[in-house]
Amino acid sequence: GENVEQHPSTLSVQEGDSAVIKCTYSDSASNYFPWYKQELGKRPQLIIDIRSNVGEKKDQRIAVTLNKTAKHFSLHITETQPEDSAVYFCAASLNNDMRFGAGTRLTVKP
Amino acid sequence: SQTIHQWPATLVQPVGSPLSLECTVEGTSNPNLYWYRQAAGRGLQLLFYSIGIDQISSEVPQNLSASRPQDRQFILSSKKLLLSDSGFYLCAWSPGGGGANVLTFGAGSRLTVL
């Protein structure tokens, strides 16, 4: 099955700086790559996603890039704010099978 | 609009006792249904997913089982809990019909096995 690796496991940035989280996947047939944000004790919430026919997608301060050849995708958060502090998960999906990375704990220091 | 309900929200059970977690989805038909487990401070481990009644894929061999008695109902069970079963269990759904779709999670069930 699909295997998703995510780095780094923890990330600390100063408010206003950018944060980048990277993921790799193993199954070249995977075609959907969402990113989820999970605040402490709560359910993961989708923040952005990208499909395999697109290389980049942006939504305000959040962007995701996908390199299908290298089988990796990244989340970019610009102008970070304290409320961006959370655990972020990447995932890769082929049809109905969605696998998640181990998560990145992002801390934004005011 | 679609909603997903999961219960109980918290559960404390002794080792060796049975388990039943329930999940239902409203406002859609023939959804794909999932159970994930999240150990403390860890990632999301896929346990089971189902694309229809009587179509359940098991990803991790262990003492848990899943059933889908109705189209929009997904149940996670165990006959005898282990200490290692403690964790945050998340039910999720996505639109059926093939292809990759957005996954929406329930609020989760926090299980502590003592």
Side-chain angles (χ1 to χ4, degrees), chain A residues 31-32 36 38 41-44 46 49 51 89 93 95-102 105, chain B residues 32 34 36 38 42-44 46 49 51 59 88 90 99-103 105-107 110:
Chain A
N31 56 8
Y32 176 61
Y36 285 80
Q38 186 180 30
K42 297 191 175 181
R43 74 187 86 184
L46 179 74
D49 57 8
R51 298 189 183 270
F89 293 97
S93 176
N95 295 323
N96 305 302
D97 188 341
M98 187 171 297
R99 306 297 173 119
F100 286 81
R105 183 173 299 279
Chain B
N32 301 318
Y34 304 78
Y36 287 87
Q38 187 174 30
R42 304 287 295 277
L44 297 162
L46 178 62
Y49 72 93
I51 62 172
E59 296 302 313
F88 191 45
L90 289 155
N101 282 300
V102 174
L103 206 64
F105 287 91
R110 189 165 302 281

Side-chain angles (χ1 to χ4, degrees), chain A residues 4-75:
Chain A
V4 180
E5 300 281 345
Q6 183 172 347
H7 302 278
S9 57
T10 60
L11 179 59
S12 182
V13 300
Q14 208 66 37
E15 182 178 0
D17 288 350
S18 295
V20 180
I21 303 170
K22 299 182 179 182
C23 290
T24 61
Y25 60 99
S26 60
D27 192 338
S28 57
S30 289
N31 56 8
Y32 176 61
F33 307 91
W35 287 87
Y36 285 80
K37 176 183 180 182
Q38 186 180 30
E39 297 177 350
L40 189 63
K42 297 191 175 181
R43 74 187 86 184
Q45 301 267 22
L46 179 74
I47 55 171
I48 196 168
D49 57 8
I50 192 168
R51 298 189 183 270
S52 59
N53 58 345
V54 177
E56 184 174 357
K57 184 176 179 181
K58 188 174 182 180
D59 182 3
Q60 299 181 349
R61 296 186 297 110
I62 294 173
V64 57
T65 59
L66 171 64
N67 184 326
K68 286 173 56 181
T69 303
K71 290 188 286 187
H72 66 71
F73 55 115
S74 301
L75 177 71

Side-chain angles (χ1 to χ4, degrees), chain B residues 4 26 61:
Chain B
I4 178 169
E26 296 178 353

Side-chain angles (χ1 to χ4, degrees), chain B residues 43-111:
Chain B
L44 297 162
Q45 179 187 29
L46 178 62
L47 300 176
F48 301 93
Y49 72 93
S50 171
I51 62 172
I53 291 178
D54 297 328
Q55 294 179 285
I56 299 174
S57 297
S58 174
E59 296 302 313
V60 184
Q62 53 197 346
N63 67 321
L64 298 173
S65 62
S67 61
R68 186 168 177 170
Q70 300 180 45
D71 178 48
R72 293 171 292 167
Q73 183 184 27
F74 207 25
I75 297 172
L76 183 69
S77 303
S78 174
K79 291 182 179 178
K80 288 186 177 183
L81 285 168
L82 306 172
L83 286 174
S84 57
D85 290 325
S86 292
F88 191 45
Y89 288 80
L90 289 155
C91 180
W93 78 276
S94 70
N101 282 300
V102 174
L103 206 64
T104 302
F105 287 91
S109 298
R110 189 165 302 281
L111 170 66

